Amino acid sequence: MRLARKVEYYGVLCRSQYRFPVRGFASNVNMSRLAKLKAELQDSGAGIEEFVGATKIGEDVVRKPQIKKPLRKKKIERKPEWLKAEFVKGESLAKYQELKDTVKGLGLATVCEEARCPNIGECWGGKEGTATATIMLMGDTCTRACRFCAVKTSNAPPPLDPKEPEKVATAIHRWGLDYVVLTSVDRDDLNDGGASHMAECIQRLKDTEDPPLVECLTPDFAGNLEHVEIVAKSGLDVFAHNLETVEALQAKVRDRRANYKQSLSVLRHVKECVPEMVTKTSLMLGCGETDEEIHQTLVALRENGVDVVTFGQYLRPSKKHMKVANYVTPDQFQHWQDEAEKLGFLYVASGPLVRSSYKAGEFFLTNVLKGRAKAREASQQ
């Protein structure tokens, strides 16, 4: 009875349209079909050309000439001649390398490198005492995603380095700088936006026998003026916060959490809580702004007590970033320097390659400090 069932079972399998692993039977069928195909192939005289060209057996093979299409040339955007930066050489190269090695050795980040600043060689290779390197606090990853900026972004950056204040102080004293610029990424993930950490870095620099002058380029701390005040009262000499562009282009250029009125309120509050503080901001040109909008912005800055303004050409870091609307000529930059000076700014730096911290040490040492020293001498006489 069992044997009959087995015979019937295998009979059904063999008649099925599917292949089952019936020993002997399936392999014999496959071998016979393969032998038959080989025989047909030998009789036809077909070669590899028929298979490559998908030509039916028996048809003549016709080879079509292959015409190579010329490679499409990439459109290279040529920048104006006035945007070429000079190479670092001689003593400047040695100073540049010294700063670079120190930054790397201490595990610090600089906005000069992270934001791909075109003036890195000129600033880092400046003469003794006035070389300027902008150290970026709180890591190299920002919680904002402005459309002009090359700094890395993330909603969850790495935690703060508690030893960073000590590392920054060590780097500055190794360089022997009289003037240092500190900046930072935005850290919206922290309760105070990183204000207390920045203040600690500044205080550590000032707590020495021969403290350097300190400029701090800060984020907006999400508009929280108490956090702004923590940094403003930490002992720094220049409080900088960049407006970046005119009011009409804020949404296009900056992260949605930043805005024109919020940035103005930060700069205004610093003057209110520390009246003697030098306040500073920077504007990028070439984003699509109009002359009238630039002038209105300068007026608003003076109304909010801003002392220093810099103008520079926006340069696109990569194809992922906002396009350049236009290249502003050196004559136009000179025009805006003249206009800003007429409005009463303490100092104006304006040029295609000027950035917020461009030669900041030279500016402060030669223009502000000497001017104030003369004023004090005159008042004592």
Side-chain angles (χ1 to χ4, degrees), residues 128 194 211:
E128 188 67 29

Side-chain angles (χ1 to χ4, degrees), residues 190-208:
L190 302 176
N191 291 332
D192 65 351
S196 56
H197 184 85
M198 295 184 76
E200 185 181 352
C201 291
I202 295 165
Q203 290 162 359
R204 190 65 180 265
L205 281 170
K206 288 293 187 178
D207 189 21
T208 57

